[in-house]
Amino acid sequence: MSFTPRFSHRSFLAALAVGLTAFPLLAVAQSSKGDAALPGITAQSDKPDQNTKPAEGGPADDTDVPLDDGASARGESVVTRPLDAGTNTFKTEKIQPGAEPKADNVKPSEGVGVFERMGANLPDLPKDKPFTGKVDEAYGAFQRGYYLTAFQRALPRAQLGDPAAQTLLAELMTQGLGVKRDTKDAAFWYGKAAEGGDATAMFKYALILMEGRDVPRDRKKADEWMKKAADAGQASAEFNLGQLLTAENPGIKGLQLALPYYEKSAEQGIADAQYAVSQLYLNMPDLPPEKKARAREWLSRAANAGFDTAQLDMGVWLINGTGGTQDLEKGFSWMRVAAYRGNVVAQNKLAHLYINALGTKQDPVAAAKWYVISRRAGLKDPELEDFYQGIEDYQQKAAIDAANKFRRAR
């Protein structure tokens, strides 16, 4: 049984920063002042050869920025003549006066498929393999949106002690799908399913115990269920357990204990865990070189998953050449993505990029626009304020107009 996880973790950046106080590089992207201040970046004089292949076994450079929604692929149109047409057919054919084809008699060609031109038939589709497993009718109804049917099918099984049915029942009650919302009864069924060994229920029940919602708050039991869920391979529980270990064991010890759980969660696609792995791979001492070489790869995965803090760091890393080669254009693109997603630090740094022409053309109005947006969000920057006061009045007005029209991307 698997449902979309709803994280109930403490502020990830705050918890991770407790363990990384000895590593100043981690705080780069989160500092309001920006320890890696973009205006002070010295760009490399020569860009790396784009045709140079990475060393065998090296990290994949998975830093491509997603295309804009308006982008479209361009293809070439190939016109061919029928196979039975003579070589000079289109040159020698003559149409007598009055014999021109009428508009109502003209029919569009149906074309000639590539397999027909090659004289080959389409291969038969492979036969579907018969499903021999047990069909879960309750969960199938849930997936199709028939929530009342799912409840009716799950209830008898839940009463007989089926952990998967108990978890489904709890989820329906928690969200009020098909039945009246009842978080207290949902907590009861999550508890029963957890005792029955369902990993998702273990995770959800741990959150309920941690928050003291509909059950007496019990931090010790919550931690125990979280660990059981993580050890059972529940991705969200693995990340949250890493958070707990980091918070309860400040310093390098907590990070060492948490890293294996972050790695397992990251492999299962949790963006928060992918970000954590990238930071720890870059900053932790005594890690194998092959892990350190993959720091940017993990950051790229988190950025491509839509984690705006990872997108901000991706921009900083590419501009500074952290964890790999420097690429000002891609760095600017990622910074812009994070800024449009509403990351205030990215909005501030994007203004610096426009001022210093890093990865883009110099644009004082765009720089002032992003400064105004970040200033309105509460991020002060004396250097940008000096810049703003030094531009022309019409440029200030244009920047304010652009800032007023800004809408955060979804």
Side-chain angles (χ1 to χ4, degrees):
M1 187 65 58
S2 175
F3 302 99
T4 303
R6 292 185 303 221
F7 295 116
S8 179
H9 51 261
R10 310 176 189 105
S11 173
F12 167 65
L13 297 175
L16 190 60
V18 172
L20 282 173
T21 53
F23 306 129
L25 286 178
L26 176 61
V28 166
Q30 302 310 315
S31 170
S32 60
K33 296 180 180 179
D35 294 337
L38 294 174
I41 295 172
T42 302
Q44 294 179 356
S45 58
D46 295 320
K47 295 186 64 175
D49 186 355
Q50 300 297 324
N51 296 321
T52 302
K53 296 182 178 180
E56 187 174 353
D61 187 8
D62 187 19
T63 57
D64 290 343
V65 180
L67 292 175
D68 292 336
D69 293 338
S72 61
R74 295 185 177 84
E76 295 296 328
S77 176
V78 179
V79 180
T80 59
R81 58 189 173 83
L83 294 175
D84 57 353
T87 305
N88 299 320
T89 298
F90 299 111
K91 292 184 178 180
T92 59
E93 182 179 10
K94 296 181 179 180
I95 299 177
Q96 299 298 326
E100 296 88 350
K102 304 300 181 182
D104 55 354
N105 294 327
V106 177
K107 296 182 180 180
S109 170
E110 295 181 356
V112 180
V114 62
F115 284 100
E116 293 169 327
R117 292 197 352 253
M118 294 173 62
N121 295 321
L122 290 172
D124 295 332
L125 293 173
K127 294 182 178 180
D128 293 333
K129 295 181 180 180
F131 178 72
T132 57
K134 185 178 179 181
V135 176
D136 191 329
E137 295 181 353
Y139 189 60
F142 174 83
Q143 289 180 310
R144 296 193 301 274
Y146 299 133
Y147 302 125
L148 182 57
T149 300
F151 182 87
Q152 293 170 339
R153 298 288 175 85
L155 181 58
R157 289 169 44 194
Q159 292 172 330
L160 293 174
D162 185 331
Q166 291 169 341
T167 302
L168 177 56
L169 210 61
E171 190 69 14
L172 292 168
M173 290 179 172
T174 298
Q175 300 186 48
L177 300 175
V179 293
K180 183 179 179 181
R181 187 170 181 266
D182 190 336
T183 57
K184 187 173 182 179
D185 282 354
F188 167 81
W189 286 115
Y190 275 133
K192 288 296 183 183
E195 292 171 0
D198 187 271
T200 297
M202 293 176 189
F203 170 63
K204 294 291 184 74
Y205 193 53
L207 298 181
I208 293 171
L209 289 167
M210 190 180 298
E211 297 171 1
R213 174 166 42 93
D214 301 310
V215 297
R217 186 178 183 187
D218 192 327
R219 179 62 182 272
K220 183 178 179 181
K221 285 183 65 176
D223 290 354
E224 290 174 356
W225 281 118
M226 190 68 74
K227 188 175 188 310
K228 288 181 179 179
D231 290 340
Q234 214 284 338
S236 301
E238 290 168 340
F239 172 75
N240 277 265
L241 183 60
Q243 295 288 83
L244 292 173
L245 292 170
T246 302
E248 293 173 356
N249 301 274
I252 189 67
K253 179 183 177 182
L255 298 177
Q256 290 172 338
L257 292 172
L259 182 56
Y261 289 103
Y262 284 143
E263 289 174 324
K264 292 175 184 178
S265 181
E267 290 286 357
Q268 296 195 65
I270 302 299
D272 304 63
Q274 293 169 343
Y275 177 78
V277 169
S278 72
Q279 302 300 310
L280 297 184
Y281 276 8
L282 180 70
N283 295 291
M284 279 184 67
D286 303 324
L287 284 180
E290 57 269 21
K291 284 193 174 184
K292 286 189 171 293
R294 295 189 66 195
R296 187 187 281 189
E297 176 190 339
W298 282 113
L299 183 63
S300 176
R301 291 190 186 189
N304 279 288
F307 189 17
D308 68 290
T309 304
Q311 293 167 345
L312 163 65
D313 276 17
M314 196 76 239
V316 173
W317 285 25
L318 285 164
I319 291 168
N320 288 340
T322 303
T325 57
Q326 186 182 52
D327 192 323
L328 298 178
E329 288 77 15
K330 282 186 179 179
F332 169 81
S333 295
W334 274 118
M335 197 69 72
R336 190 168 180 269
V337 168
Y340 271 102
R341 291 290 303 278
N343 189 293
V344 179
V345 177
Q347 293 166 351
N348 172 276
K349 292 187 181 298
L350 191 61
H352 285 288
L353 294 181
Y354 275 117
I355 292 172
N356 294 279
L358 293 175
T360 186
K361 293 181 180 179
Q362 195 172 53
D363 189 334
V365 173
K369 164 196 166 181
W370 287 110
Y371 167 58
V372 169
I373 293 172
S374 63
R375 184 182 62 183
R376 287 174 178 175
L379 183 55
K380 298 179 180 179
D381 188 324
E383 185 176 344
L384 286 180
E385 180 64 25
D386 288 344
F387 156 78
Y388 181 77
Q389 296 298 334
I391 61 177
E392 301 292 338
D393 290 344
Y394 76 89
Q395 293 174 318
Q396 290 183 0
K397 184 179 184 302
I400 291 175
D401 289 342
N404 290 339
K405 295 176 183 178
F406 171 73
R407 293 295 181 271
R408 177 177 172 176
R410 298 295 180 185

